[in-house]
Amino acid sequence: MNIRPLQPGEAERVIAAGLGLARLPRGDGSFYLVAWEADEPLGHAHLSLTDPPELQDVAVLPVHRRRGVATALTRAAEREAAARGHSILTITVSVDNEAAQALYRSLGYRDSGRPPQRVRGTVQIRSGPLEVDDTLLTWQRDVSST
Ligand SMILES: CC(C)(COP(=O)(O)OP(=O)(O)OC[C@H]1O[C@@H](n2cnc3c(N)ncnc32)[C@H](O)[C@@H]1OP(=O)(O)O)[C@@H](O)C(=O)NCCC(=O)NCCS
């Protein structure tokens, strides 16, 4: 498996494989990391370069789950954050998403202390408007020694 930032011209192939790239385009220096096996995209993760940075939109194609793809994407994002001088990486996870909570817990993420956020309404993503009604937990990990 090879993980690298999404290159210009690769988005079409990633979307055709079934990955959403929901947060394209941003133009603020944030970027997607994509996991590849040969020419096949397996999963992606978006690194938003806020302060602290936030890992978003981690998604792995169903046939490639439980092979460590999300783990490798998260670790790659931690290295990217640390290389930019950040000591913390945050993620938000739905209160109902047990798989994601198990993943991030196994990777050392813990509650940031920020209260749960209720999100409700319409958000604009690459493919158009999306209705959301969710409660998000903010977790974080110290990546300074990554
Ligand atoms: C959550 C998701 C990203 C996990 O991707 P993945 O590549 O399968 O995860 P990994 O193989 O790296 O899993 C690492 C560990 O996380 C935990 N984990 C992952 N998926 C799990 C599941 N469905 N149930 C329970 N634990 C799970 C396990 O501890 C796993 O280790 P193990 O396989 O040795 O038991 C994937 O299921 C997915 O794309 N889901 C839909 C999108 C989503 O919910 N994204 C998260 C947004 S915050």
Side-chain angles (χ1 to χ4, degrees):
M1 189 192 329
N2 169 26
I3 293 181
R4 60 175 194 265
L6 181 73
Q7 301 299 309
E10 288 179 339
E12 212 169 280
R13 203 149 100 235
V14 173
I15 292 164
L19 290 159
L21 290 175
R23 290 175 185 268
L24 271 189
R26 289 294 280 266
D28 59 357
S30 301
F31 59 96
Y32 269 96
L33 289 165
V34 180
W36 299 85
E37 201 160 58
D39 280 346
E40 195 189 345
L42 311 177
H44 68 34
H46 187 257
L47 183 60
S48 180
L49 293 174
T50 43
D51 191 14
E54 182 182 344
L55 185 62
Q56 303 165 327
D57 198 15
V58 178
V60 176
L61 291 172
V63 291
H64 297 298
R65 288 181 189 168
R66 303 306 285 265
R67 289 181 45 199
V69 178
T71 297
L73 283 163
T74 304
R75 293 306 192 211
E78 291 171 357
R79 288 192 293 275
E80 297 281 355
R84 288 166 173 79
H86 295 285
S87 54
I88 295 288
L89 183 62
T90 65
I91 54 114
T92 61
V93 59
S94 167
V95 283
D96 299 323
N97 193 341
E98 287 175 16
Q101 289 185 26
L103 164 73
Y104 296 123
R105 203 175 300 114
S106 78
L107 295 178
Y109 287 77
R110 298 293 179 262
D111 194 280
S112 68
R114 184 175 173 180
Q117 308 168 61
R118 186 74 206 276
V119 287
R120 211 172 184 175
T122 308
V123 294
Q124 295 296 328
I125 62 168
R126 180 192 56 77
S127 49
L130 178 72
E131 291 303 317
V132 294
D133 183 359
D134 206 349
T135 300
L136 299 176
L137 308 174
T138 305
W139 289 8
Q140 66 179 39
R141 179 172 184 263
D142 183 337
V143 296
S144 53
S145 54
T146 301

